[in-house]
PDB file of all heavy atoms in Angstrom:
ATOM      1  N   THR A   1       0.857  -1.183  -0.023  1.00 87.00           N
ATOM      2  CA  THR A   1       0.015   0.016  -0.017  1.00 87.00           C
ATOM      3  C   THR A   1       0.894   1.227   0.010  1.00 87.00           C
ATOM      4  O   THR A   1       1.712   1.399   0.887  1.00 87.00           O
ATOM      5  CB  THR A   1      -0.961   0.009   1.265  1.00 87.00           C
ATOM      6  OG1 THR A   1      -1.697  -1.168   1.263  1.00 87.00           O
ATOM      7  CG2 THR A   1      -1.864   1.248   1.180  1.00 87.00           C
ATOM      8  N   VAL A   2       0.704   2.106  -0.941  1.00 88.00           N
ATOM      9  CA  VAL A   2       1.573   3.273  -1.124  1.00 88.00           C
ATOM     10  C   VAL A   2       1.456   4.212   0.043  1.00 88.00           C
ATOM     11  O   VAL A   2       0.310   4.567   0.492  1.00 88.00           O
ATOM     12  CB  VAL A   2       1.171   4.014  -2.441  1.00 88.00           C
ATOM     13  CG1 VAL A   2       2.055   5.345  -2.617  1.00 88.00           C
ATOM     14  CG2 VAL A   2       1.391   3.124  -3.688  1.00 88.00           C
ATOM     15  N   GLN A   3       2.640   4.610   0.583  1.00 88.00           N
ATOM     16  CA  GLN A   3       2.609   5.631   1.669  1.00 88.00           C
ATOM     17  C   GLN A   3       3.131   6.981   1.220  1.00 88.00           C
ATOM     18  O   GLN A   3       3.650   7.131   0.078  1.00 88.00           O
ATOM     19  CB  GLN A   3       3.644   5.105   2.770  1.00 88.00           C
ATOM     20  CG  GLN A   3       3.380   3.650   3.181  1.00 88.00           C
ATOM     21  CD  GLN A   3       2.098   3.463   3.942  1.00 88.00           C
ATOM     22  OE1 GLN A   3       1.760   4.276   4.787  1.00 88.00           O
ATOM     23  NE2 GLN A   3       1.345   2.428   3.615  1.00 88.00           N
ATOM     24  N   LYS A   4       2.931   7.958   1.981  1.00 86.00           N
ATOM     25  CA  LYS A   4       3.356   9.352   1.722  1.00 86.00           C
ATOM     26  C   LYS A   4       4.863   9.320   1.476  1.00 86.00           C
ATOM     27  O   LYS A   4       5.597   8.809   2.232  1.00 86.00           O
ATOM     28  CB  LYS A   4       2.985  10.296   2.804  1.00 86.00           C
ATOM     29  CG  LYS A   4       3.335  11.763   2.531  1.00 86.00           C
ATOM     30  CD  LYS A   4       2.932  12.688   3.637  1.00 86.00           C
ATOM     31  CE  LYS A   4       3.332  14.083   3.396  1.00 86.00           C
ATOM     32  NZ  LYS A   4       2.861  15.027   4.448  1.00 86.00           N
ATOM     33  N   GLY A   5       5.280   9.933   0.400  1.00 83.00           N
ATOM     34  CA  GLY A   5       6.716  10.029   0.083  1.00 83.00           C
ATOM     35  C   GLY A   5       7.259   8.926  -0.800  1.00 83.00           C
ATOM     36  O   GLY A   5       8.389   8.928  -1.230  1.00 83.00           O
ATOM     37  N   ASP A   6       6.454   7.891  -1.072  1.00 87.00           N
ATOM     38  CA  ASP A   6       6.865   6.770  -1.940  1.00 87.00           C
ATOM     39  C   ASP A   6       6.948   7.201  -3.369  1.00 87.00           C
ATOM     40  O   ASP A   6       6.249   8.080  -3.853  1.00 87.00           O
ATOM     41  CB  ASP A   6       5.834   5.620  -1.768  1.00 87.00           C
ATOM     42  CG  ASP A   6       6.052   4.744  -0.624  1.00 87.00           C
ATOM     43  OD1 ASP A   6       7.191   4.746  -0.017  1.00 87.00           O
ATOM     44  OD2 ASP A   6       5.028   4.010  -0.193  1.00 87.00           O
ATOM     45  N   THR A   7       7.793   6.511  -4.097  1.00 88.00           N
ATOM     46  CA  THR A   7       7.915   6.562  -5.519  1.00 88.00           C
ATOM     47  C   THR A   7       7.990   5.178  -6.069  1.00 88.00           C
ATOM     48  O   THR A   7       8.319   4.187  -5.336  1.00 88.00           O
ATOM     49  CB  THR A   7       9.227   7.309  -5.990  1.00 88.00           C
ATOM     50  OG1 THR A   7      10.332   6.579  -5.603  1.00 88.00           O
ATOM     51  CG2 THR A   7       9.199   8.776  -5.403  1.00 88.00           C
ATOM     52  N   LEU A   8       7.754   4.976  -7.326  1.00 87.00           N
ATOM     53  CA  LEU A   8       7.821   3.695  -7.920  1.00 87.00           C
ATOM     54  C   LEU A   8       9.282   3.117  -7.735  1.00 87.00           C
ATOM     55  O   LEU A   8       9.439   1.887  -7.486  1.00 87.00           O
ATOM     56  CB  LEU A   8       7.443   3.702  -9.372  1.00 87.00           C
ATOM     57  CG  LEU A   8       5.918   3.688  -9.694  1.00 87.00           C
ATOM     58  CD1 LEU A   8       5.775   3.708 -11.229  1.00 87.00           C
ATOM     59  CD2 LEU A   8       5.208   2.438  -9.101  1.00 87.00           C
ATOM     60  N   TYR A   9      10.234   4.007  -7.899  1.00 87.00           N
ATOM     61  CA  TYR A   9      11.616   3.582  -7.811  1.00 87.00           C
ATOM     62  C   TYR A   9      11.917   3.030  -6.400  1.00 87.00           C
ATOM     63  O   TYR A   9      12.501   1.948  -6.279  1.00 87.00           O
ATOM     64  CB  TYR A   9      12.532   4.781  -8.111  1.00 87.00           C
ATOM     65  CG  TYR A   9      14.011   4.498  -7.865  1.00 87.00           C
ATOM     66  CD1 TYR A   9      14.755   3.803  -8.804  1.00 87.00           C
ATOM     67  CD2 TYR A   9      14.645   4.938  -6.713  1.00 87.00           C
ATOM     68  CE1 TYR A   9      16.112   3.532  -8.591  1.00 87.00           C
ATOM     69  CE2 TYR A   9      15.959   4.699  -6.478  1.00 87.00           C
ATOM     70  CZ  TYR A   9      16.723   3.996  -7.462  1.00 87.00           C
ATOM     71  OH  TYR A   9      18.056   3.758  -7.188  1.00 87.00           O
ATOM     72  N   LEU A  10      11.541   3.772  -5.355  1.00 87.00           N
ATOM     73  CA  LEU A  10      11.779   3.278  -4.001  1.00 87.00           C
ATOM     74  C   LEU A  10      11.056   1.964  -3.697  1.00 87.00           C
ATOM     75  O   LEU A  10      11.619   1.048  -3.103  1.00 87.00           O
ATOM     76  CB  LEU A  10      11.397   4.375  -3.013  1.00 87.00           C
ATOM     77  CG  LEU A  10      12.207   5.589  -2.930  1.00 87.00           C
ATOM     78  CD1 LEU A  10      11.650   6.618  -1.958  1.00 87.00           C
ATOM     79  CD2 LEU A  10      13.658   5.275  -2.547  1.00 87.00           C
ATOM     80  N   ILE A  11       9.817   1.878  -4.089  1.00 88.00           N
ATOM     81  CA  ILE A  11       9.067   0.631  -3.887  1.00 88.00           C
ATOM     82  C   ILE A  11       9.693  -0.559  -4.588  1.00 88.00           C
ATOM     83  O   ILE A  11       9.798  -1.666  -4.046  1.00 88.00           O
ATOM     84  CB  ILE A  11       7.598   0.798  -4.286  1.00 88.00           C
ATOM     85  CG1 ILE A  11       6.889   1.902  -3.422  1.00 88.00           C
ATOM     86  CG2 ILE A  11       6.797  -0.522  -4.151  1.00 88.00           C
ATOM     87  CD1 ILE A  11       5.563   2.320  -3.922  1.00 88.00           C
ATOM     88  N   ALA A  12      10.129  -0.289  -5.847  1.00 84.00           N
ATOM     89  CA  ALA A  12      10.705  -1.364  -6.604  1.00 84.00           C
ATOM     90  C   ALA A  12      12.067  -1.844  -5.954  1.00 84.00           C
ATOM     91  O   ALA A  12      12.255  -3.044  -5.842  1.00 84.00           O
ATOM     92  CB  ALA A  12      10.995  -0.822  -8.069  1.00 84.00           C
ATOM     93  N   VAL A  13      12.889  -0.910  -5.528  1.00 84.00           N
ATOM     94  CA  VAL A  13      14.139  -1.245  -4.918  1.00 84.00           C
ATOM     95  C   VAL A  13      13.957  -2.067  -3.677  1.00 84.00           C
ATOM     96  O   VAL A  13      14.612  -3.096  -3.437  1.00 84.00           O
ATOM     97  CB  VAL A  13      15.013   0.006  -4.616  1.00 84.00           C
ATOM     98  CG1 VAL A  13      16.173  -0.298  -3.765  1.00 84.00           C
ATOM     99  CG2 VAL A  13      15.460   0.640  -5.916  1.00 84.00           C
ATOM    100  N   ARG A  14      13.011  -1.651  -2.837  1.00 83.00           N
ATOM    101  CA  ARG A  14      12.731  -2.336  -1.565  1.00 83.00           C
ATOM    102  C   ARG A  14      12.312  -3.748  -1.744  1.00 83.00           C
ATOM    103  O   ARG A  14      12.499  -4.665  -0.946  1.00 83.00           O
ATOM    104  CB  ARG A  14      11.714  -1.612  -0.746  1.00 83.00           C
ATOM    105  CG  ARG A  14      12.120  -0.300  -0.169  1.00 83.00           C
ATOM    106  CD  ARG A  14      10.933   0.442   0.486  1.00 83.00           C
ATOM    107  NE  ARG A  14      11.214   1.808   0.791  1.00 83.00           N
ATOM    108  CZ  ARG A  14      10.360   2.793   0.728  1.00 83.00           C
ATOM    109  NH1 ARG A  14       9.032   2.499   0.402  1.00 83.00           N
ATOM    110  NH2 ARG A  14      10.587   4.018   1.074  1.00 83.00           N
ATOM    111  N   ASN A  15      11.608  -4.016  -2.889  1.00 82.00           N
ATOM    112  CA  ASN A  15      11.015  -5.377  -3.114  1.00 82.00           C
ATOM    113  C   ASN A  15      11.724  -6.126  -4.214  1.00 82.00           C
ATOM    114  O   ASN A  15      11.245  -7.078  -4.763  1.00 82.00           O
ATOM    115  CB  ASN A  15       9.534  -5.161  -3.452  1.00 82.00           C
ATOM    116  CG  ASN A  15       8.747  -4.696  -2.244  1.00 82.00           C
ATOM    117  OD1 ASN A  15       8.461  -5.389  -1.394  1.00 82.00           O
ATOM    118  ND2 ASN A  15       8.436  -3.369  -2.277  1.00 82.00           N
ATOM    119  N   LYS A  16      12.982  -5.641  -4.526  1.00 81.00           N
ATOM    120  CA  LYS A  16      13.864  -6.343  -5.508  1.00 81.00           C
ATOM    121  C   LYS A  16      13.163  -6.519  -6.871  1.00 81.00           C
ATOM    122  O   LYS A  16      13.162  -7.575  -7.448  1.00 81.00           O
ATOM    123  CB  LYS A  16      14.269  -7.677  -4.907  1.00 81.00           C
ATOM    124  CG  LYS A  16      15.085  -7.572  -3.683  1.00 81.00           C
ATOM    125  CD  LYS A  16      15.484  -8.923  -3.119  1.00 81.00           C
ATOM    126  CE  LYS A  16      16.309  -8.818  -1.831  1.00 81.00           C
ATOM    127  NZ  LYS A  16      16.748 -10.088  -1.259  1.00 81.00           N
ATOM    128  N   LEU A  17      12.590  -5.417  -7.259  1.00 84.00           N
ATOM    129  CA  LEU A  17      11.895  -5.375  -8.647  1.00 84.00           C
ATOM    130  C   LEU A  17      12.533  -4.238  -9.382  1.00 84.00           C
ATOM    131  O   LEU A  17      13.109  -3.324  -8.839  1.00 84.00           O
ATOM    132  CB  LEU A  17      10.407  -5.209  -8.499  1.00 84.00           C
ATOM    133  CG  LEU A  17       9.615  -6.292  -7.823  1.00 84.00           C
ATOM    134  CD1 LEU A  17       8.205  -5.812  -7.569  1.00 84.00           C
ATOM    135  CD2 LEU A  17       9.552  -7.573  -8.717  1.00 84.00           C
ATOM    136  N   SER A  18      12.331  -4.216 -10.696  1.00 85.00           N
ATOM    137  CA  SER A  18      12.677  -3.035 -11.468  1.00 85.00           C
ATOM    138  C   SER A  18      11.334  -2.200 -11.615  1.00 85.00           C
ATOM    139  O   SER A  18      10.283  -2.740 -11.421  1.00 85.00           O
ATOM    140  CB  SER A  18      13.166  -3.444 -12.854  1.00 85.00           C
ATOM    141  OG  SER A  18      12.119  -3.968 -13.634  1.00 85.00           O
ATOM    142  N   VAL A  19      11.508  -0.901 -11.924  1.00 85.00           N
ATOM    143  CA  VAL A  19      10.371  -0.103 -12.120  1.00 85.00           C
ATOM    144  C   VAL A  19       9.466  -0.583 -13.253  1.00 85.00           C
ATOM    145  O   VAL A  19       8.242  -0.664 -13.180  1.00 85.00           O
ATOM    146  CB  VAL A  19      10.783   1.379 -12.412  1.00 85.00           C
ATOM    147  CG1 VAL A  19       9.588   2.244 -12.792  1.00 85.00           C
ATOM    148  CG2 VAL A  19      11.394   1.953 -11.164  1.00 85.00           C
ATOM    149  N   ALA A  20      10.143  -1.143 -14.327  1.00 85.00           N
ATOM    150  CA  ALA A  20       9.428  -1.663 -15.437  1.00 85.00           C
ATOM    151  C   ALA A  20       8.580  -2.844 -15.039  1.00 85.00           C
ATOM    152  O   ALA A  20       7.429  -3.024 -15.469  1.00 85.00           O
ATOM    153  CB  ALA A  20      10.358  -2.042 -16.533  1.00 85.00           C
ATOM    154  N   GLN A  21       9.086  -3.723 -14.164  1.00 87.00           N
ATOM    155  CA  GLN A  21       8.402  -4.852 -13.704  1.00 87.00           C
ATOM    156  C   GLN A  21       7.198  -4.488 -12.851  1.00 87.00           C
ATOM    157  O   GLN A  21       6.087  -5.049 -12.966  1.00 87.00           O
ATOM    158  CB  GLN A  21       9.286  -5.863 -12.906  1.00 87.00           C
ATOM    159  CG  GLN A  21      10.258  -6.572 -13.844  1.00 87.00           C
ATOM    160  CD  GLN A  21      11.369  -7.267 -13.019  1.00 87.00           C
ATOM    161  OE1 GLN A  21      11.684  -6.840 -11.947  1.00 87.00           O
ATOM    162  NE2 GLN A  21      11.924  -8.307 -13.585  1.00 87.00           N
ATOM    163  N   LEU A  22       7.435  -3.497 -11.927  1.00 86.00           N
ATOM    164  CA  LEU A  22       6.387  -3.047 -11.109  1.00 86.00           C
ATOM    165  C   LEU A  22       5.232  -2.401 -11.884  1.00 86.00           C
ATOM    166  O   LEU A  22       4.087  -2.653 -11.646  1.00 86.00           O
ATOM    167  CB  LEU A  22       6.918  -2.002 -10.112  1.00 86.00           C
ATOM    168  CG  LEU A  22       6.110  -1.578  -8.910  1.00 86.00           C
ATOM    169  CD1 LEU A  22       5.706  -2.789  -8.088  1.00 86.00           C
ATOM    170  CD2 LEU A  22       6.857  -0.628  -8.026  1.00 86.00           C
ATOM    171  N   LYS A  23       5.554  -1.640 -12.925  1.00 87.00           N
ATOM    172  CA  LYS A  23       4.586  -1.083 -13.815  1.00 87.00           C
ATOM    173  C   LYS A  23       3.770  -2.133 -14.575  1.00 87.00           C
ATOM    174  O   LYS A  23       2.621  -2.114 -14.748  1.00 87.00           O
ATOM    175  CB  LYS A  23       5.196  -0.063 -14.783  1.00 87.00           C
ATOM    176  CG  LYS A  23       5.695   1.155 -14.030  1.00 87.00           C
ATOM    177  CD  LYS A  23       6.494   2.127 -14.942  1.00 87.00           C
ATOM    178  CE  LYS A  23       5.599   2.853 -15.891  1.00 87.00           C
ATOM    179  NZ  LYS A  23       6.319   3.908 -16.628  1.00 87.00           N
ATOM    180  N   SER A  24       4.505  -3.135 -15.036  1.00 86.00           N
ATOM    181  CA  SER A  24       3.898  -4.278 -15.824  1.00 86.00           C
ATOM    182  C   SER A  24       2.917  -5.041 -14.918  1.00 86.00           C
ATOM    183  O   SER A  24       1.799  -5.375 -15.304  1.00 86.00           O
ATOM    184  CB  SER A  24       4.964  -5.202 -16.368  1.00 86.00           C
ATOM    185  OG  SER A  24       4.387  -6.268 -17.007  1.00 86.00           O
ATOM    186  N   LEU A  25       3.339  -5.305 -13.679  1.00 87.00           N
ATOM    187  CA  LEU A  25       2.499  -6.022 -12.730  1.00 87.00           C
ATOM    188  C   LEU A  25       1.182  -5.381 -12.477  1.00 87.00           C
ATOM    189  O   LEU A  25       0.138  -5.990 -12.201  1.00 87.00           O
ATOM    190  CB  LEU A  25       3.233  -6.297 -11.416  1.00 87.00           C
ATOM    191  CG  LEU A  25       4.318  -7.403 -11.399  1.00 87.00           C
ATOM    192  CD1 LEU A  25       5.126  -7.348 -10.132  1.00 87.00           C
ATOM    193  CD2 LEU A  25       3.643  -8.789 -11.613  1.00 87.00           C
ATOM    194  N   ASN A  26       1.216  -3.996 -12.525  1.00 86.00           N
ATOM    195  CA  ASN A  26       0.066  -3.229 -12.119  1.00 86.00           C
ATOM    196  C   ASN A  26      -0.559  -2.425 -13.259  1.00 86.00           C
ATOM    197  O   ASN A  26      -1.411  -1.585 -13.059  1.00 86.00           O
ATOM    198  CB  ASN A  26       0.481  -2.279 -11.014  1.00 86.00           C
ATOM    199  CG  ASN A  26       0.853  -2.930  -9.716  1.00 86.00           C
ATOM    200  OD1 ASN A  26      -0.013  -3.271  -8.946  1.00 86.00           O
ATOM    201  ND2 ASN A  26       2.154  -3.143  -9.523  1.00 86.00           N
ATOM    202  N   ASN A  27      -0.110  -2.799 -14.509  1.00 87.00           N
ATOM    203  CA  ASN A  27      -0.715  -2.163 -15.692  1.00 87.00           C
ATOM    204  C   ASN A  27      -0.648  -0.642 -15.633  1.00 87.00           C
ATOM    205  O   ASN A  27      -1.577   0.076 -16.039  1.00 87.00           O
ATOM    206  CB  ASN A  27      -2.171  -2.598 -15.863  1.00 87.00           C
ATOM    207  CG  ASN A  27      -2.298  -4.105 -16.036  1.00 87.00           C
ATOM    208  OD1 ASN A  27      -1.591  -4.749 -16.824  1.00 87.00           O
ATOM    209  ND2 ASN A  27      -3.237  -4.722 -15.364  1.00 87.00           N
ATOM    210  N   LEU A  28       0.480  -0.095 -15.174  1.00 88.00           N
ATOM    211  CA  LEU A  28       0.672   1.295 -15.081  1.00 88.00           C
ATOM    212  C   LEU A  28       1.315   1.827 -16.326  1.00 88.00           C
ATOM    213  O   LEU A  28       2.270   1.232 -16.880  1.00 88.00           O
ATOM    214  CB  LEU A  28       1.585   1.622 -13.858  1.00 88.00           C
ATOM    215  CG  LEU A  28       1.055   1.225 -12.475  1.00 88.00           C
ATOM    216  CD1 LEU A  28       2.121   1.587 -11.429  1.00 88.00           C
ATOM    217  CD2 LEU A  28      -0.236   1.861 -12.147  1.00 88.00           C
ATOM    218  N   THR A  29       0.800   2.933 -16.825  1.00 86.00           N
ATOM    219  CA  THR A  29       1.380   3.558 -18.018  1.00 86.00           C
ATOM    220  C   THR A  29       2.225   4.787 -17.753  1.00 86.00           C
ATOM    221  O   THR A  29       2.917   5.291 -18.605  1.00 86.00           O
ATOM    222  CB  THR A  29       0.225   3.984 -19.038  1.00 86.00           C
ATOM    223  OG1 THR A  29      -0.712   4.785 -18.333  1.00 86.00           O
ATOM    224  CG2 THR A  29      -0.529   2.725 -19.488  1.00 86.00           C
ATOM    225  N   THR A  30       2.219   5.231 -16.458  1.00 85.00           N
ATOM    226  CA  THR A  30       2.997   6.418 -16.046  1.00 85.00           C
ATOM    227  C   THR A  30       3.637   5.999 -14.722  1.00 85.00           C
ATOM    228  O   THR A  30       3.357   5.007 -14.092  1.00 85.00           O
ATOM    229  CB  THR A  30       2.132   7.676 -15.838  1.00 85.00           C
ATOM    230  OG1 THR A  30       1.346   7.491 -14.695  1.00 85.00           O
ATOM    231  CG2 THR A  30       1.280   7.964 -17.082  1.00 85.00           C
ATOM    232  N   ASP A  31       4.493   6.927 -14.216  1.00 85.00           N
ATOM    233  CA  ASP A  31       5.158   6.681 -12.911  1.00 85.00           C
ATOM    234  C   ASP A  31       4.344   7.314 -11.745  1.00 85.00           C
ATOM    235  O   ASP A  31       4.684   7.240 -10.595  1.00 85.00           O
ATOM    236  CB  ASP A  31       6.526   7.338 -12.848  1.00 85.00           C
ATOM    237  CG  ASP A  31       7.494   6.610 -13.788  1.00 85.00           C
ATOM    238  OD1 ASP A  31       7.203   5.467 -14.194  1.00 85.00           O
ATOM    239  OD2 ASP A  31       8.614   7.146 -14.105  1.00 85.00           O
ATOM    240  N   THR A  32       3.129   7.794 -12.051  1.00 87.00           N
ATOM    241  CA  THR A  32       2.286   8.433 -11.039  1.00 87.00           C
ATOM    242  C   THR A  32       1.604   7.413 -10.184  1.00 87.00           C
ATOM    243  O   THR A  32       0.944   6.465 -10.616  1.00 87.00           O
ATOM    244  CB  THR A  32       1.238   9.361 -11.676  1.00 87.00           C
ATOM    245  OG1 THR A  32       1.870  10.319 -12.526  1.00 87.00           O
ATOM    246  CG2 THR A  32       0.351  10.055 -10.641  1.00 87.00           C
ATOM    247  N   ILE A  33       1.757   7.613  -8.800  1.00 90.00           N
ATOM    248  CA  ILE A  33       1.033   6.752  -7.822  1.00 90.00           C
ATOM    249  C   ILE A  33       0.464   7.647  -6.786  1.00 90.00           C
ATOM    250  O   ILE A  33       0.787   8.802  -6.700  1.00 90.00           O
ATOM    251  CB  ILE A  33       1.987   5.679  -7.177  1.00 90.00           C
ATOM    252  CG1 ILE A  33       3.218   6.407  -6.560  1.00 90.00           C
ATOM    253  CG2 ILE A  33       2.411   4.660  -8.149  1.00 90.00           C
ATOM    254  CD1 ILE A  33       4.206   5.454  -5.862  1.00 90.00           C
ATOM    255  N   TYR A  34      -0.490   7.099  -5.986  1.00 89.00           N
ATOM    256  CA  TYR A  34      -1.163   7.952  -4.984  1.00 89.00           C
ATOM    257  C   TYR A  34      -1.195   7.200  -3.637  1.00 89.00           C
ATOM    258  O   TYR A  34      -1.128   5.982  -3.604  1.00 89.00           O
ATOM    259  CB  TYR A  34      -2.525   8.317  -5.449  1.00 89.00           C
ATOM    260  CG  TYR A  34      -3.453   7.167  -5.732  1.00 89.00           C
ATOM    261  CD1 TYR A  34      -4.222   6.500  -4.757  1.00 89.00           C
ATOM    262  CD2 TYR A  34      -3.550   6.656  -7.050  1.00 89.00           C
ATOM    263  CE1 TYR A  34      -5.040   5.436  -5.019  1.00 89.00           C
ATOM    264  CE2 TYR A  34      -4.375   5.594  -7.310  1.00 89.00           C
ATOM    265  CZ  TYR A  34      -5.146   4.967  -6.359  1.00 89.00           C
ATOM    266  OH  TYR A  34      -5.891   3.852  -6.663  1.00 89.00           O
ATOM    267  N   VAL A  35      -1.229   7.946  -2.552  1.00 86.00           N
ATOM    268  CA  VAL A  35      -1.213   7.411  -1.220  1.00 86.00           C
ATOM    269  C   VAL A  35      -2.507   6.526  -1.084  1.00 86.00           C
ATOM    270  O   VAL A  35      -3.595   6.894  -1.415  1.00 86.00           O
ATOM    271  CB  VAL A  35      -1.266   8.491  -0.143  1.00 86.00           C
ATOM    272  CG1 VAL A  35      -1.417   7.863   1.221  1.00 86.00           C
ATOM    273  CG2 VAL A  35       0.049   9.239  -0.194  1.00 86.00           C
ATOM    274  N   GLY A  36      -2.269   5.341  -0.527  1.00 85.00           N
ATOM    275  CA  GLY A  36      -3.396   4.389  -0.343  1.00 85.00           C
ATOM    276  C   GLY A  36      -3.550   3.404  -1.505  1.00 85.00           C
ATOM    277  O   GLY A  36      -4.256   2.382  -1.425  1.00 85.00           O
ATOM    278  N   GLN A  37      -2.834   3.652  -2.595  1.00 88.00           N
ATOM    279  CA  GLN A  37      -3.001   2.727  -3.756  1.00 88.00           C
ATOM    280  C   GLN A  37      -2.334   1.392  -3.436  1.00 88.00           C
ATOM    281  O   GLN A  37      -1.199   1.335  -2.793  1.00 88.00           O
ATOM    282  CB  GLN A  37      -2.191   3.397  -4.966  1.00 88.00           C
ATOM    283  CG  GLN A  37      -2.284   2.571  -6.250  1.00 88.00           C
ATOM    284  CD  GLN A  37      -1.672   3.341  -7.410  1.00 88.00           C
ATOM    285  OE1 GLN A  37      -1.069   4.411  -7.183  1.00 88.00           O
ATOM    286  NE2 GLN A  37      -1.678   2.759  -8.563  1.00 88.00           N
ATOM    287  N   VAL A  38      -2.965   0.279  -3.801  1.00 88.00           N
ATOM    288  CA  VAL A  38      -2.428  -1.057  -3.565  1.00 88.00           C
ATOM    289  C   VAL A  38      -1.785  -1.569  -4.850  1.00 88.00           C
ATOM    290  O   VAL A  38      -2.381  -1.682  -5.885  1.00 88.00           O
ATOM    291  CB  VAL A  38      -3.530  -1.963  -3.082  1.00 88.00           C
ATOM    292  CG1 VAL A  38      -2.979  -3.386  -2.866  1.00 88.00           C
ATOM    293  CG2 VAL A  38      -4.195  -1.489  -1.799  1.00 88.00           C
ATOM    294  N   LEU A  39      -0.493  -1.848  -4.661  1.00 89.00           N
ATOM    295  CA  LEU A  39       0.303  -2.338  -5.830  1.00 89.00           C
ATOM    296  C   LEU A  39       0.634  -3.845  -5.657  1.00 89.00           C
ATOM    297  O   LEU A  39       1.032  -4.259  -4.603  1.00 89.00           O
ATOM    298  CB  LEU A  39       1.611  -1.547  -5.918  1.00 89.00           C
ATOM    299  CG  LEU A  39       1.514  -0.053  -6.186  1.00 89.00           C
ATOM    300  CD1 LEU A  39       2.909   0.620  -6.171  1.00 89.00           C
ATOM    301  CD2 LEU A  39       0.770   0.217  -7.449  1.00 89.00           C
ATOM    302  N   LYS A  40       0.506  -4.594  -6.712  1.00 88.00           N
ATOM    303  CA  LYS A  40       0.956  -5.961  -6.745  1.00 88.00           C
ATOM    304  C   LYS A  40       2.442  -6.076  -6.793  1.00 88.00           C
ATOM    305  O   LYS A  40       3.102  -5.292  -7.520  1.00 88.00           O
ATOM    306  CB  LYS A  40       0.417  -6.723  -7.951  1.00 88.00           C
ATOM    307  CG  LYS A  40      -1.109  -6.919  -7.958  1.00 88.00           C
ATOM    308  CD  LYS A  40      -1.550  -7.624  -9.263  1.00 88.00           C
ATOM    309  CE  LYS A  40      -3.078  -7.762  -9.354  1.00 88.00           C
ATOM    310  NZ  LYS A  40      -3.496  -8.437 -10.542  1.00 88.00           N
ATOM    311  N   LEU A  41       3.053  -6.957  -6.018  1.00 85.00           N
ATOM    312  CA  LEU A  41       4.506  -7.149  -5.989  1.00 85.00           C
ATOM    313  C   LEU A  41       4.871  -8.468  -6.580  1.00 85.00           C
ATOM    314  O   LEU A  41       6.043  -8.755  -6.790  1.00 85.00           O
ATOM    315  CB  LEU A  41       5.040  -6.987  -4.525  1.00 85.00           C
ATOM    316  CG  LEU A  41       4.767  -5.708  -3.877  1.00 85.00           C
ATOM    317  CD1 LEU A  41       5.295  -5.769  -2.393  1.00 85.00           C
ATOM    318  CD2 LEU A  41       5.347  -4.583  -4.549  1.00 85.00           C
ATOM    319  N   THR A  42       3.893  -9.297  -6.834  1.00 80.00           N
ATOM    320  CA  THR A  42       4.173 -10.644  -7.391  1.00 80.00           C
ATOM    321  C   THR A  42       3.164 -10.915  -8.456  1.00 80.00           C
ATOM    322  O   THR A  42       2.085 -10.281  -8.543  1.00 80.00           O
ATOM    323  CB  THR A  42       4.064 -11.734  -6.370  1.00 80.00           C
ATOM    324  OG1 THR A  42       2.777 -11.708  -5.747  1.00 80.00           O
ATOM    325  CG2 THR A  42       5.132 -11.529  -5.289  1.00 80.00           C
ATOM    326  N   THR A  43       3.428 -11.879  -9.337  1.00 69.00           N
ATOM    327  CA  THR A  43       2.449 -12.286 -10.340  1.00 69.00           C
ATOM    328  C   THR A  43       1.353 -13.064  -9.741  1.00 69.00           C
ATOM    329  O   THR A  43       1.476 -13.620  -8.624  1.00 69.00           O
ATOM    330  CB  THR A  43       3.126 -13.175 -11.426  1.00 69.00           C
ATOM    331  OG1 THR A  43       3.765 -14.245 -10.784  1.00 69.00           O
ATOM    332  CG2 THR A  43       4.174 -12.328 -12.218  1.00 69.00           C
ATOM    333  N   SER A  44       0.198 -13.121 -10.339  1.00 55.00           N
ATOM    334  CA  SER A  44      -0.946 -13.851  -9.839  1.00 55.00           C
ATOM    335  C   SER A  44      -0.647 -15.256  -9.560  1.00 55.00           C
ATOM    336  O   SER A  44      -0.106 -15.984 -10.375  1.00 55.00           O
ATOM    337  CB  SER A  44      -2.164 -13.707 -10.799  1.00 55.00           C
ATOM    338  OG  SER A  44      -3.271 -14.366 -10.337  1.00 55.00           O
TER     339      SER A  44
END
């Protein structure tokens, strides 16, 4: 769950993912995220 101050880069690094993988997992087309957003960290 996205917290204040988070970026895709920081979330990706913490979870041993690349930004591209994180965007692909969550069908994101931009780097914009919002507080409270729930992001998938693994494949289904």
Side-chain angles (χ1 to χ4, degrees):
T1 302
V2 177
Q3 308 293 315
K4 184 177 180 181
D6 277 339
T7 64
L8 281 180
Y9 174 76
L10 289 176
I11 296 169
V13 168
R14 290 174 193 147
N15 294 281
K16 298 180 180 180
L17 297 168
S18 68
V19 171
Q21 288 170 333
L22 195 55
K23 291 173 75 172
S24 176
L25 283 170
N26 293 278
N27 299 316
L28 301 177
T29 56
T30 71
D31 291 347
T32 303
I33 53 177
Y34 56 87
V35 174
Q37 182 175 3
V38 178
L39 298 177
K40 293 180 182 178
L41 301 179
T42 56
T43 55
S44 178

